[in-house]
Amino acid sequence: MLLNVQDLHVSYGAIRAVHGVSFEVDEGEIVTLIGANGAGKSTILNTIAGLLSPNSGRITYQGQDIGGLDAHKVVQRGLALVPEGRRIFGNLTVSENLRLAGYQLQADERARRMKRVFELFPRLGERRDQLGDTLSGGEQQMLAVGRALVTGGHLMLLDEPSMGLAPILVQHIFSILKEINAQGTTILLVEQNAHMALKIAQRAYVLETGHIVLSGPAAQLASNPDVQKAYLGA
Amino acid sequence: MSTLRQTVSRWLAPLRRQLGRTPVLAFMLAFLLAVLLEQQVGENFAKSLEFRKIPKFFGLVDIFEPFSDLDFSGILAPFFPSPSMDVETPIQDSGAAIGELVSTFWNALFYQGARNPGFFSVLVRVLVYDIVIFIVPILILALLLRGPTLWVLQRLPRWLALALHLGALYVVLMLWGADGGTRELILIYMGINIMLSASLNLVNGYMGEFSVGHAGFMAVGAYVSSVLTMVFFTNSSVFGPALLSPDLGLPFGFIIALLAGGVAAALAGLLVAFPSFRTRGDYLAIVTLAINFIVTGVINNMEVVGGPRGLNGVPLWTNLTWIFLFTVLSIAAIYNLVNSTLGKGIIAIREDEIASSLMGVNTRKLKLVAFLVSSFIAGVAGGLFAHQLAYVNPGNFGILKSTEALVMVYLGGMGSISGSIIAAVIFTILIEALRPLAVLKWVVIPLILILLMLFRPQGLFGFRELKLNLGLRPKPTQGQPTETEASDAAAAD
Ligand SMILES: Nc1ncnc2c1ncn2[C@@H]1O[C@H](COP(=O)(O)OP(=O)(O)O)[C@@H](O)[C@H]1O
Ligand SMILES: [Mg+2]
């Protein structure tokens, strides 16, 4: 088991956002966490990544407790978050964004990973000297994924990568995610766009107001009438 | 109009091209020779232009002198008469004062008697002096020296070539500037201002915080170093005879005192660094403002250091050499920091703190580093300032001083060291040149700022560095040398 979350509770001051969530991600999997707006998806990912600290519960990664570690320490273990809204450095170029993503790496290792990103996303390579702000939404998402690949690359957490993108771009991003996964990166994908997420994931969890209400193989959830009604618009 | 400009620029193009290929060192050497020329003929030439003395600081300090008689107080005074004043109708008296002001201004522009030339007269003669003594000789000599200097520079390792530039700069400054008078004073304030603006730029420009209380750190450095030098190395009326010998004061005592002042200022910087972990933006700006007030407030209430009356008898140890040394060291430290990996992290924090922490940037550590380095340098600058003034009081380090540092940072441009240096140079000269305008100075300077923000909000060099042609050999890691004139981005000094 690569990532194991046990009975996680997180709150913002008095506002309790996540109460008692447990799930796991195995090596090599694509796992998705689907839920409506405000269900607590981002809160869970941000807590795993070290941006928030849990009130209680355990988060173990590769068998080691990472709950409450600072974000820059979590990163050192090979776990990278593509945050909601992408958070590209808009005043910096594509290359500079990627170089910063390898902040903790040796120069040669960083160069190797950047080269891989440019191979996966040729469009980023063509725009390497373009400022982040001037990229299209799809290119920004590619850059966000690329940065996470440079930073971590073992387990990638993605927070709604399809947000605000045209369907064709979503498909493109998701096909790249599958490719990255095939090359050895485990993926935990959080989505409101359950349709696409359930297509590429092996397993899925359904989150409602801070609780997990359903879980199982993605294909099985996709055919579950409740899920279809609530998340697939059927 | 535009055709005239085109013609002129076509004529000047070859000259500009030639000068562009001339390394900075050649200009420095040429300036050195021009200084020698001034020492030989400057006095006589100035006399023949009807100056009483050699113009101060290229005449920049002289040109506004004719306005020193302007009196603005007469305009409002009739409305708020003192008991002894005899005012018939305020409007009339005020009107008379305005009329007088206008005529004084008119005279100041053109002529105000044989001994007091008008503004235009001074301006023209200053221009003639500068062109004959400095500009023309420097241009000619620099072009002549281009070949030899490039030949030498290309044969030296980079570090030696850089050291040669610093050495030449030092010699130029000493020869021209160490006059023990106006020039040296202006250069000393320039160095202090460079240290202040570059160190503040680290926090405001590179890290993207908004510190508005930089003078607070300066105050800590000034008082701590002054107390140390006075207690240990000076026989003073405040602290009695020196605890150690006055003979030990220079250079060791001074160095230690300045560094101790820097360390104390850095400790005060912690008071901003820790809150910065939790808040940023406007709220942190309020914290820095508060620190400024707390520091001056504490000093105001410390009787041992004179409270609001200030501390008198600080040894007059600051001179051009000390200023040169610490300015160069500060700039080198900041330049290396912002170009290191840590520096990239500091810039990442400015761009997006959350994203940077997700990439492994230890944001707390870097904030700590930035605030410590910034306040340390401000503290050392404060120490140098105190040992130049001989008398310090809390009023020297109020919010106005902090504002000056801010003005320089935004004038030069955020995230630009060369911008901060050039802005400090301009600002220092401006302050000195506009001194004769008295009150009007604080109308002119803000006006310049407003115009700057309107027409060039990024400042002179926002997020860019001035590229100087240092004529250095290319860096070995960059592979094959391209051309002989390898231009190099470097912080100007
Ligand atoms: N910074 C915050 N402060 C207070 N409440 C928050 C904050 N961020 C999120 N919440 C609340 O926590 C709950 C979960 O939010 P979030 O994790 O962002 O949901 P999702 O990502 O699934 O849309 C919501 O009720 C939201 O209002
Ligand atoms: Mg969310």
Side-chain angles (χ1 to χ4, degrees):
Chain A
M1 202 187 308
L2 185 62
L3 177 75
N4 187 11
V5 175
Q6 280 293 330
D7 197 25
L8 183 70
H9 291 256
V10 190
S11 52
Y12 299 93
I15 303 167
R16 297 173 57 198
V18 170
H19 0 237
V21 163
S22 304
F23 64 94
E24 62 202 42
V25 180
D26 281 326
E27 186 86 46
E29 274 191 310
I30 300 184
V31 172
T32 184
L33 209 61
I34 58 178
N37 200 4
K41 306 182 296 296
S42 299
T43 306
I44 292 173
L45 286 198
N46 290 345
T47 309
I48 298 171
L51 293 175
L52 299 169
S53 37
N55 292 11
S56 66
R58 271 173 72 83
I59 305 173
T60 53
Y61 178 70
Q62 290 176 327
Q64 286 175 317
D65 195 348
I66 59 164
L69 278 188
D70 281 342
H72 68 272
K73 293 236 172 78
V74 173
V75 161
Q76 288 168 350
R77 317 219 167 178
L79 187 157
L81 168 65
V82 180
E84 185 173 274
R86 324 189 219 294
R87 290 191 172 269
I88 295 300
F89 296 126
N91 295 322
L92 304 183
T93 66
V94 169
S95 298
E96 286 168 334
N97 267 276
L98 292 173
R99 219 171 294 136
L100 271 175
Y103 178 79
Q104 294 186 338
L105 303 176
Q106 299 289 328
D108 50 344
E109 175 65 12
R110 180 168 54 223
R112 219 173 47 73
R113 294 191 189 183
M114 281 173 67
K115 191 158 160 271
R116 174 169 172 231
V117 170
F118 288 139
E119 280 162 12
L120 275 170
F121 300 103
R123 284 180 58 178
L124 291 183
E126 291 159 21
R127 291 165 173 72
R128 64 178 75 206
D129 294 323
Q130 203 170 313
L131 292 184
D133 267 343
T134 65
L135 297 175
S136 73
E139 289 157 0
Q140 288 193 352
Q141 189 63 59
M142 292 176 200
L143 181 54
V145 172
R147 280 196 320 198
L149 276 177
V150 174
T151 309
H154 198 70
L155 171 62
M156 188 184 291
L157 314 173
L158 292 118
D159 196 344
E160 302 206 36
S162 72
M163 195 201 275
L165 296 187
I168 177 106
L169 280 170
V170 176
Q171 253 166 25
H172 180 61
I173 298 273
F174 274 48
S175 72
I176 300 252
L177 290 182
K178 273 183 97 158
E179 193 176 333
I180 293 169
N181 177 247
Q183 292 176 8
T185 298
T186 307
I187 289 177
L188 173 58
L189 173 66
V190 148
E191 268 295 350
Q192 276 191 70
N193 185 347
H195 197 68
M196 288 297 298
L198 289 175
K199 245 187 209 159
I200 69 161
Q202 283 109 46
R203 291 191 304 111
Y205 294 86
V206 177
L207 194 69
E208 268 174 24
T209 55
H211 297 278
I212 287 184
V213 293
L214 266 177
S215 66
Q220 191 182 322
L221 284 192
S223 58
N224 178 317
D226 289 342
V227 174
Q228 285 189 337
K229 199 161 153 236
Y231 300 103
L232 299 174
Chain B
M1 185 67 200
S2 79
T3 52
L4 177 70
R5 196 190 294 166
Q6 276 164 10
T7 325
V8 170
S9 73
R10 196 162 46 239
W11 268 88
L12 288 179
L15 181 65
R16 281 179 57 180
R17 201 161 48 239
Q18 294 297 322
L19 290 176
R21 284 196 223 143
T22 309
V24 173
L25 190 60
F27 285 104
M28 284 193 205
L29 295 177
F31 182 61
L32 203 67
L33 293 172
V35 170
L36 295 176
L37 176 72
E38 185 185 41
Q39 288 182 350
Q40 292 302 314
V41 303
E43 190 93 39
N44 285 331
F45 186 58
K47 290 241 163 72
S48 73
L49 286 173
E50 297 184 352
F51 283 116
R52 261 162 276 160
K53 284 181 292 196
I54 288 182
K56 294 175 202 151
F57 220 91
F58 307 116
L60 292 172
V61 181
D62 299 285
I63 47 184
F64 292 104
E65 198 64 45
F67 296 107
S68 54
D69 288 337
L70 293 186
D71 176 17
F72 292 86
S73 60
I75 301 173
L76 285 183
F79 295 99
F80 311 100
S82 60
S84 61
M85 234 168 121
D86 179 25
V87 180
E88 302 270 303
T89 45
I91 303 232
Q92 231 167 46
D93 284 22
S94 177
I98 291 176
E100 201 165 307
L101 190 66
V102 169
S103 91
T104 319
F105 184 72
W106 185 257
N107 289 338
L109 275 183
F110 298 106
Y111 182 75
Q112 42 190 6
R115 290 199 58 79
N116 294 315
F119 168 76
F120 286 115
S121 154
V122 177
L123 185 65
V124 168
R125 286 180 296 136
V126 160
L127 277 176
V128 170
Y129 183 86
D130 285 346
I131 287 173
V132 171
I133 299 286
F134 291 106
I135 296 175
V136 169
I138 286 177
L139 290 184
I140 294 173
L141 289 167
L143 288 176
L144 290 176
L145 289 168
R146 188 181 83 198
T149 35
L150 273 177
W151 189 88
V152 172
L153 285 171
Q154 289 296 303
R155 269 154 195 78
L156 295 178
R158 288 175 65 88
W159 68 268
L160 195 58
L162 278 173
L164 193 62
H165 282 85
L166 287 180
L169 181 63
Y170 178 67
V171 172
V172 165
L173 286 177
M174 289 308 284
L175 212 61
W176 176 76
D179 64 346
T182 317
R183 284 182 190 167
E184 184 161 1
L185 202 64
I186 294 178
L187 288 175
I188 284 173
Y189 286 142
M190 224 177 243
I192 290 170
N193 282 338
I194 289 172
M195 289 172 74
L196 285 179
S197 63
S199 59
L200 184 60
N201 207 335
L202 179 61
V203 165
N204 287 30
Y206 287 93
M207 198 161 70
E209 289 297 352
F210 192 64
S211 168
V212 297
H214 212 44
F217 305 124
M218 209 185 162
V220 173
Y223 270 85
V224 168
S225 62
S226 300
V227 168
L228 287 177
T229 54
M230 287 173 76
V231 167
F232 289 104
F233 307 110
T234 341
N235 303 318
S236 67
S237 57
V238 187
F239 299 113
L243 279 188
L244 299 172
S245 157
D247 304 334
L248 294 172
L250 283 171
F252 300 108
F254 194 29
I255 292 181
I256 290 167
L258 287 173
L259 295 183
V263 169
L267 290 179
L270 287 179
L271 296 180
V272 181
F274 286 127
S276 82
F277 296 165
R278 319 207 80 233
T279 57
R280 54 179 318 172
D282 302 353
Y283 301 104
L284 192 65
I286 301 291
V287 172
T288 62
L289 185 64
I291 303 280
N292 199 159
F293 280 113
I294 290 171
V295 168
T296 48
V298 166
I299 296 171
N300 259 317
N301 287 291
M302 277 174 59
E303 264 312 307
V304 260
V305 294
R309 279 170 289 112
L311 189 57
N312 210 342
V314 184
L316 273 171
W317 284 347
T318 300
N319 60 25
L320 208 47
T321 303
W322 287 107
I323 287 286
F324 182 79
L325 183 72
F326 279 102
T327 307
V328 167
L329 287 177
S330 304
I331 293 298
I334 295 173
Y335 182 82
N336 283 316
L337 175 60
V338 299
N339 285 295
S340 69
T341 308
L342 288 185
K344 302 292 173 235
I346 289 175
I347 293 168
I349 292 177
R350 174 186 76 206
E351 295 297 320
D352 187 328
E353 188 172 344
I354 288 178
S356 63
S357 71
L358 288 175
M359 297 176 180
V361 175
N362 185 346
T363 54
R364 292 181 181 197
K365 181 176 129 194
L366 291 198
K367 286 178 178 182
L368 212 57
V369 168
F371 279 114
L372 287 182
V373 171
S374 173
S375 47
F376 177 87
I377 292 176
V380 174
L384 290 164
F385 186 56
H387 289 79
Q388 152 65 34
L389 292 177
Y391 162 67
V392 286
N393 70 69
N396 293 131
F397 307 103
I399 199 70
L400 197 64
K401 192 81 194 169
S402 295
T403 311
E404 283 184 15
L406 279 173
V407 168
M408 289 187 280
V409 168
Y410 291 95
L411 173 65
M414 294 202 289
S416 167
I417 295 174
S418 40
S420 275
I421 294 171
I422 291 169
V425 169
I426 294 175
F427 187 78
T428 313
I429 294 176
L430 211 59
I431 290 279
E432 290 306 318
L434 295 179
R435 198 175 287 285
L437 297 189
V439 208
L440 205 55
K441 184 166 85 170
W442 292 113
V443 178
V444 174
I445 289 175
L447 208 61
I448 293 173
L449 251 186
I450 292 172
L451 291 176
L452 183 84
M453 288 301 123
L454 278 179
F455 295 107
R456 208 175 160 81
Q458 76 277 34
L460 299 173
F461 289 93
F463 303 115
R464 288 181 300 122
E465 293 296 345
L466 175 69
K467 291 214 194 304
L468 287 179
N469 176 2
L470 293 185
L472 300 186
R473 285 215 308 236
K475 273 189 190 144
T477 47
Q478 282 174 349
Q480 70 282 32
T482 44
E483 288 224 2
T484 35
E485 66 265 29
S487 71
D488 201 73
D493 195 25

